[in-house]
Amino acid sequence: MSTNHEASYLSEEEQQKLLEKYDPEAGTRKLTGLLGYIAFFGLLAFSLFQLYTAVFGVFTAQIQRTVHLGFALSLIFLLFPANRKKRQKGKLQVAWYDLILSILSIGVGAYWPLRFEELVMSVGRLGPLDFAVGITAILLVLEATRRTVGLPIMVIALLFMLYGLFGSYMPGFLSHRGLTLERMVQTMFFTTEGILGTPLAVSSTFIFLFLLFGAFLIRTGVGQYFNDLSIAIAGRSIGGPAKVAIFSSALQGTISGSSVANVVTSGAFTIPMMKNLGYKKEFAGAVEASASTGGQLMPPIMGAAAFLMVEFIGNGITYWDIAKAAAIPAILYFLGIWIMTHFEAKRLGLRGLTKEEMPSRKEVFGKIYLLIPIIAIILLLMSNITVTHAALYSIVISIIVGFINKDRGMKAVDIVHALVDGARTALAVAAATAAAGIIVGIVTKTGLGLKLANGLIDLAGGYLIPTLILTMIAALILGMGSPTTANYVITSTIAAPAMILLGVPDLSAHLFVFYFGIIADITPPVALAAFAAAGVSGGEPIKTGIESSKLAIAAFIIPYIFVLSPELLMINTTWGETVWVVLTAMTGMIAIGAGVIGHWMRDMHWLERITACIVGLLLIYPETISDITGLVMFGILLALQYVWKQDKGDGGTLQDKPHTDYPKVE
């Protein structure tokens, strides 16, 4: 290892510490003894319940959702400590009050199944026991949300509840009659408009199964194979390790719904490689952070919020419609990062991996069958079968592939552990969607959504662009302290209606808030994915966040484009028009990438950089005149780059100079 670029790969223990620091979902207790067995078999039972209902059909809405919630809450209080900084180990693994909360959670989960007929016949009238159980359920959800996904989303849910109770004291258009405490409890737990609403419904069906699918993929060895395949494809190119990080993270995003988890697992391998090659710490961390965050934008398996989008939009839209619409923006996002890392490598004169540093391509491509589950789920989602069955069949296929993979040699015990891992991953999602249901319930009961939508439009003067900017700011702020799922629920309930009122198609409006909710993970001042990447690289966190935002520039531009011109989402376009939109947009990303980095064939003057960015915007915007203008200007810029490079040699860069002192990547 070179002393100039010394870097080391993170051990599993170091990765876990980083995850616990930046990802609330990772801060679980390591239970042993009797409690360890209880937690293990509880998680296993959770997965088996979900599989049973997926195969034989879900129960009545209230029963399905409360059992799902009961499993999640009871396990959360066993596995997630009240204070993450003081995780208890050894004999006192679980505090006495956590045991009580876990038992109460079981009671809450069993309440609807045990008293279904009486509760239905009561027609909204609550007895003393009903009221006590409802209050308990609300408090348990709030505390479980705080433990799993952090304090901000719990505070937001609490503020919405206070608004529901004391709305008559609010000024102006925010004022409403106010809900009584009994009415609040009845809405939150005894209807399907609150905690048991649409977000939890999606968690208890689609989301759980896809998280389970991801757990099985990890057990088959697909996660490691993504790294090997990425090196085999991109390792030898200019700045190869950075491109490996992009390619690998895009693939990892299909099995990981967490930007931070993706950063730590992939980045533990790719960031040291980038540093060894000569990339600065902050840039190396930014490449991994931006690519890992984009994993949730990449079809066919996007973030959990994409499944919520199906239910929120309605109108017969399917998950495949959303995945198809998101394809071009996702390609442009990753292409933008790829291009900028390429130009940065050229600017610095960085090489790719040597032949000796590369894995055997024959061995790597000999295991291409490991991608069969990914291909299968794409084909299944494209077919007419339900999303639930698509996930089920894909799980079965991944198990078969796991048994075929001789390197891993999947056994029956691996299936059991995959079921446990999948359930563990689903705990935070269940808590977040339950809390999001509280917010949706208040918005529905008070009419706050339409009030805020109209208020947002008034604040923006009735113009679309200012409305989009305000919506973007709201989504970024919310995303700094809440998971993508909860962020999407809030912004789609409050801000998306404002865009729709101004004539924006439903899908464009919902994808707009979805994008900015995800990009919040790499947007300073609170950019958890970027901070986790800085923890791996040793770089400065805020600088890493700024670099991440630069690399992810496409994510700040493209949502505006597909709102103004939905052709980018393949809405009402022919295949010929789609191909043209893709080609011109990809050309535009080359120009923007060069402008942001400041290098193309040579270093660029600031005026050239601004011009290149303008050219890129013209080409990304899918309109005939802007495309023609952009292509002409692109040709002129390209010609000037080539001519001036010939006249001035290498333009002061290192790309044409011989290099003999490359550090070896270990």
Side-chain angles (χ1 to χ4, degrees):
M1 192 80 68
S2 169
T3 57
N4 293 329
H5 302 286
E6 188 170 347
S8 58
Y9 300 106
L10 266 66
S11 66
E12 289 188 10
E13 184 179 350
E14 290 171 324
Q15 291 179 40
Q16 185 60 31
K17 286 182 180 178
L18 268 179
L19 277 173
E20 291 174 4
K21 182 177 181 180
Y22 294 108
D23 187 357
E25 298 176 26
T28 58
R29 294 182 174 107
K30 306 298 184 289
L31 297 178
T32 58
L34 178 61
L35 287 176
Y37 283 112
I38 291 173
F40 181 87
F41 286 107
L43 291 166
L44 180 60
F46 193 9
S47 284
L48 291 176
F49 166 76
Q50 295 293 155
L51 287 174
Y52 176 86
T53 57
V55 173
F56 297 104
V58 298
F59 294 105
T60 303
Q62 293 92 333
I63 294 176
Q64 176 78 20
R65 298 170 196 180
T66 48
V67 172
H68 178 82
L69 181 66
F71 266 117
L73 293 178
S74 60
L75 289 164
I76 284 169
F77 290 117
L78 284 181
L79 292 170
F80 289 82
N83 187 339
R84 291 175 58 217
K85 294 180 180 179
K86 296 181 180 179
R87 281 194 307 157
Q88 294 174 310
K89 297 181 180 179
K91 294 181 179 179
L92 291 175
Q93 293 177 333
V94 180
W96 61 269
Y97 51 82
D98 285 338
L99 292 174
I100 293 175
L101 293 176
S102 185
I103 293 169
L104 288 174
S105 299
I106 295 172
V108 165
Y111 198 69
W112 263 102
L114 292 175
R115 300 195 65 239
F116 180 76
E117 291 186 8
E118 295 95 322
L119 292 174
V120 170
M121 296 300 293
S122 67
V123 197
R125 293 188 300 272
L126 301 184
L129 180 60
D130 300 331
F131 183 79
V133 171
I135 285 284
T136 302
I138 293 170
L139 295 175
L140 289 173
V141 165
L142 291 173
E143 172 60 11
T145 303
R146 184 192 69 80
R147 293 190 184 198
T148 54
V149 294
L151 183 64
I153 183 62
M154 187 208 80
V155 172
I156 292 170
L158 194 56
L159 289 174
F160 269 83
M161 290 178 65
L162 291 173
Y163 171 75
L165 290 172
F166 303 108
S168 58
Y169 298 100
M170 297 297 289
F173 72 91
L174 291 175
S175 178
H176 67 90
R177 289 193 309 173
L179 302 174
T180 63
L181 183 59
E182 183 176 354
R183 181 70 168 165
M184 170 85 72
V185 172
Q186 193 265 340
T187 299
M188 288 298 109
F189 191 68
F190 295 97
T191 72
T192 54
E193 295 179 348
I195 290 172
L196 306 182
T198 299
L200 192 67
V202 178
S203 173
S204 65
T205 51
F206 311 139
I207 294 176
F208 190 99
L209 290 176
F210 276 88
L211 292 173
L212 204 55
F213 173 59
F216 274 100
L217 282 181
I218 292 171
R219 286 283 167 178
T220 62
V222 171
Q224 179 57 46
Y225 181 68
F226 285 158
N227 288 336
D228 296 338
L229 182 63
S230 302
I231 294 175
I233 293 174
R236 294 295 299 275
S237 61
I238 295 173
K243 294 172 182 175
V244 168
I246 297 165
F247 195 73
S248 174
S249 295
L251 292 172
Q252 289 282 0
T254 63
I255 61 176
S256 171
S258 168
S259 301
V260 175
N262 200 349
V263 165
V264 174
T265 52
S266 294
F269 171 73
T270 59
I271 290 175
M273 275 206 307
M274 286 186 270
K275 289 172 63 181
N276 287 354
L277 194 65
Y279 283 107
K280 292 180 180 179
K281 294 176 181 179
E282 287 78 15
F283 191 87
V287 170
E288 181 59 51
S290 55
S292 292
T293 300
Q296 294 184 67
L297 304 172
M298 176 61 76
I301 306 173
M302 301 159 69
F307 294 97
L308 287 169
M309 202 181 299
V310 177
E311 302 298 322
F312 275 48
I313 296 177
N315 299 326
I317 196 168
T318 65
Y319 179 79
W320 180 247
D321 292 329
I322 292 171
K324 183 178 68 173
I328 294 177
I331 291 169
L332 294 178
Y333 177 86
F334 281 102
L335 180 66
I337 301 173
W338 184 286
I339 288 167
M340 281 185 265
T341 56
H342 177 78
F343 287 147
E344 178 72 3
K346 287 186 67 178
R347 187 178 71 83
L348 296 174
L350 303 181
R351 64 172 174 92
L353 299 178
T354 64
K355 186 176 180 179
E356 292 73 24
E357 294 166 337
M358 293 283 290
S360 169
R361 289 193 174 185
K362 183 178 179 181
E363 290 183 11
V364 172
F365 289 110
K367 297 179 184 177
I368 200 73
Y369 62 85
L370 289 173
L371 297 182
I372 289 175
I374 304 293
I375 297 169
I377 201 164
I378 295 172
L379 296 176
L380 289 167
L381 288 171
M382 290 174 64
S383 67
N384 292 323
I385 69 171
T386 64
V387 174
T388 299
H389 285 128
L392 271 176
Y393 297 151
S394 300
I395 289 171
V396 173
I397 292 169
S398 66
I399 293 172
I400 294 171
V401 169
F403 280 113
I404 295 173
N405 184 8
K406 295 179 181 179
D407 289 348
R408 294 297 290 260
M410 179 178 270
K411 301 178 180 65
V413 67
D414 292 309
I415 295 176
V416 173
H417 282 290
L419 291 170
V420 170
D421 292 342
R424 192 187 301 271
T425 307
L427 297 180
V429 176
T433 51
I438 292 175
I439 296 166
V440 173
I442 296 298
V443 169
T444 303
K445 280 296 178 185
T446 61
L448 180 63
L450 187 59
K451 292 176 181 178
L452 286 178
N454 287 322
L456 191 62
I457 293 172
D458 291 340
L459 186 62
Y463 295 102
L464 179 58
I465 295 297
T467 301
L468 295 179
I469 293 172
L470 291 173
T471 302
M472 175 190 73
I473 293 170
L476 289 174
I477 292 173
L478 283 169
M480 290 176 187
S482 60
T484 308
T485 308
N487 185 342
Y488 167 73
V489 169
I490 299 169
T491 49
S492 65
T493 304
I494 295 171
M499 290 185 276
I500 294 168
L501 286 173
L502 292 174
V504 176
D506 289 8
L507 185 53
S508 299
H510 282 263
L511 277 174
F512 184 90
V513 297
F514 176 71
Y515 252 71
F516 285 110
I518 289 172
I519 295 304
D521 279 349
I522 53 172
T523 306
V526 182
L528 293 181
F531 291 175
V536 178
S537 70
E540 205 280 314
I542 293 295
K543 288 183 180 178
T544 303
I546 293 170
E547 289 289 342
S548 299
S549 298
K550 284 170 58 179
L551 289 172
I553 189 69
F556 293 92
I557 297 171
I558 291 170
Y560 287 90
I561 302 297
F562 64 59
V563 164
L564 296 172
S565 187
E567 289 86 350
L568 204 62
L569 301 179
M570 291 187 279
I571 297 176
N572 300 323
T573 58
T574 64
W575 278 107
E577 290 170 338
T578 299
V579 170
W580 176 254
V581 166
V582 171
L583 291 176
T584 53
M586 290 172 71
T587 307
M589 284 312 306
I590 294 173
I592 288 177
V596 171
I597 295 299
H599 184 91
W600 198 339
M601 292 183 177
R602 56 171 176 77
D603 286 343
M604 300 173 72
H605 187 269
W606 66 268
L607 192 57
E608 289 179 286
R609 296 177 67 174
I610 293 173
T611 305
C613 290
I614 293 171
V615 168
L617 291 174
L618 288 171
L619 287 167
I620 292 174
Y621 187 74
E623 195 269 335
T624 304
I625 295 176
S626 68
D627 286 345
I628 293 172
T629 305
L631 285 172
V632 170
M633 294 178 68
F634 183 89
I636 293 171
L637 273 177
L638 187 62
L640 289 173
Q641 282 281 309
Y642 180 78
V643 170
W644 287 346
K645 179 174 183 287
Q646 296 300 312
D647 289 344
K648 299 183 180 181
D650 63 13
T653 69
L654 300 174
Q655 80 248 25
D656 297 321
K657 298 177 182 178
H659 290 269
T660 57
D661 59 342
Y662 292 122
K664 180 176 176 59
V665 179
E666 297 179 1

